[in-house]
């Protein structure tokens, strides 16, 4: 089992005011799954993703990753695990300005202490895999929104992470570019990558193989998609 969450709770305290965000979240993620965590704004889905991706920690409950209890790890240990095992794709792309596409994708390798690749060669190979070999030396302000998200996906892939979190990855894109990004994510999943998609859109969530619905910090549904939306076939469902 890749991820195991048991009775996960999260609360924030501000000026002695306690805001409870997650209320006893429990579920499992197997290696190779494509899961959509779906819910409206304020449902707790982004907070949950931050905990699962080691950007934050739960207030209580247990969190196992690849069989290891990571609940009590300190910030440095979480940062090391995050860099080694997690890839992120965000709605706002989060690319470095005034740098090239290649430099952006190389960045995670700079912070990797267990370097397995030559940074330039690895980044070039991954950019080729997402169809951007012709944009290697372009500045990030010289490419389209869809291309920026492809760069973000390449950066998420460069360290060969165990899981990729995609947080509203089509939110800043037109429908055509959004469909291309979902097709790319589906292709990565078919190649064996574990994908966890965070979205508020039903249409986008249906590209996954399993949907976990969250409302007010509670899981209200968790089911496998019987009629999956396939990006490469447009409106065709399987």
């Amino acid at each position: 089992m890749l991820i195991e969450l048991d009775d996960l709770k999260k609360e924030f305290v501000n000026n002695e005011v306690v805001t409870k965000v997650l209320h006893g979240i429990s579920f499992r993620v197997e290696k190779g799954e494509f899961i959509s965590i779906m819910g409206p704004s304020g449902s707790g889905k982004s907070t949950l993703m931050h905990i699962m991706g080691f950007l934050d920690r739960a207030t209580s409950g247990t969190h196992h990753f690849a069989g290891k209890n990571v609940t009590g790890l300190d910030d440095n240990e979480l940062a090391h695990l995050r860099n080694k095992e997690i890839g992120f794709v965000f709605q706002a792309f989060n690319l470095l300005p005034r740098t090239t596409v290649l430099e952006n994708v190389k960045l995670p390798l700079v912070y990797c202490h267990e370097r397995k690749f030559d940074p330039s060669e690895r980044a070039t190979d991954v950019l080729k895999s997402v169809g951007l070999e012709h944009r290697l030396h372009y500045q990030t302000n010289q490419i389209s929104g869809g291309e920026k998200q492809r760069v973000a996906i390449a950066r998420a892939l460069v360290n060969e992470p165990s899981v990729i979190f995609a947080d509203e990855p089509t939110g800043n894109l037109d429908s055509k570019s959004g469909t291309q990004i979902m097709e790319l994510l589906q292709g990565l999943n078919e190649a064996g990558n574990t994908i966890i998609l965070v979205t508020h859109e039903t249409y986008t969530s249906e590209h996954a193989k399993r949907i976990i619905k969250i409302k007010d910090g509670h899981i209200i549904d968790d089911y496998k998609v019987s009629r999956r939306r396939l990006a490469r076939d447009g409106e065709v469902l399987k």
Side-chain angles (χ1 to χ4, degrees):
M1 194 66 61
L2 184 60
I3 298 172
E4 300 174 76
L5 306 179
D6 289 294
D7 198 27
L8 216 65
K9 298 178 182 178
K10 179 65 178 179
E11 60 185 38
F12 295 96
V13 180
N14 185 18
N15 293 328
E16 298 184 356
V17 176
V18 178
T19 303
K20 296 183 178 180
V21 179
L22 299 178
H23 306 271
I25 299 291
S26 300
F27 64 90
R28 309 284 185 271
V29 178
E30 294 184 11
K31 185 175 175 58
E33 283 200 89
F34 188 166
I35 296 175
S36 174
I37 297 176
M38 183 186 171
S41 296
S43 61
K45 62 184 185 297
S46 292
T47 298
L48 177 59
M49 184 202 76
H50 289 163
I51 293 171
M52 294 174 70
F54 312 127
L55 290 169
D56 199 358
R57 60 180 75 240
T59 303
S60 64
T62 56
H63 179 187
H64 285 79
F65 185 88
K68 179 181 181 180
N69 189 342
V70 299
T71 310
L73 297 184
D74 64 30
D75 289 347
N76 288 334
E77 291 170 320
L78 285 178
H80 175 74
L81 198 57
R82 181 172 63 244
N83 185 254
K84 181 181 178 183
E85 302 288 354
I86 308 295
F88 290 103
V89 180
F90 295 102
Q91 177 179 347
F93 318 129
N94 290 0
L95 302 180
L96 293 176
R98 297 181 298 279
T99 54
T100 67
V101 166
L102 183 63
E103 288 169 335
N104 269 272
V105 177
K106 285 168 56 177
L107 186 63
L109 297 173
V110 174
Y111 296 102
C112 182
H113 299 297
E114 302 169 13
R115 188 172 294 174
K116 298 178 289 184
F117 315 102
D118 175 83
S120 293
E121 289 182 6
R122 173 62 179 168
T124 299
D125 288 344
V126 177
L127 282 163
K128 287 179 180 178
S129 76
V130 299
L132 287 179
E133 60 269 27
H134 60 302
R135 294 285 192 253
L136 298 182
H137 302 294
Y138 278 61
Q139 299 280 316
T140 54
N141 64 344
Q142 296 176 313
I143 59 177
S144 69
E147 288 174 331
K148 287 179 181 177
Q149 198 58 292
R150 286 175 178 267
V151 174
I153 291 172
R155 185 180 57 192
L157 286 169
V158 75
N159 265 347
E160 292 187 332
S162 296
V163 58
I164 296 170
F165 288 95
D167 187 8
E168 304 280 7
T170 63
N172 283 340
L173 304 177
D174 59 53
S175 58
K176 180 180 178 181
S177 297
T179 297
Q180 292 172 342
I181 292 302
M182 293 313 303
E183 182 177 357
L184 178 55
L185 290 175
Q186 286 182 331
L188 292 172
N189 177 243
E190 295 301 324
N193 293 279
T194 305
I195 310 287
I196 297 179
L197 171 72
V198 176
T199 183
H200 68 279
E201 296 178 336
T202 300
Y203 177 90
T204 305
S205 71
E206 291 173 346
H207 290 84
K209 294 178 179 177
R210 174 184 168 196
I211 294 176
I212 297 174
K213 290 186 176 181
I214 293 184
K215 183 178 180 181
D216 298 329
H218 297 273
I219 292 178
I220 60 172
D221 213 346
D222 183 348
Y223 59 93
K224 291 186 177 181
V225 180
S226 59
R227 292 175 58 81
R228 187 185 183 201
R229 193 176 294 275
L230 299 178
R232 64 178 174 273
D233 295 326
E235 296 299 319
V236 177
L237 296 171
K238 186 173 78 171

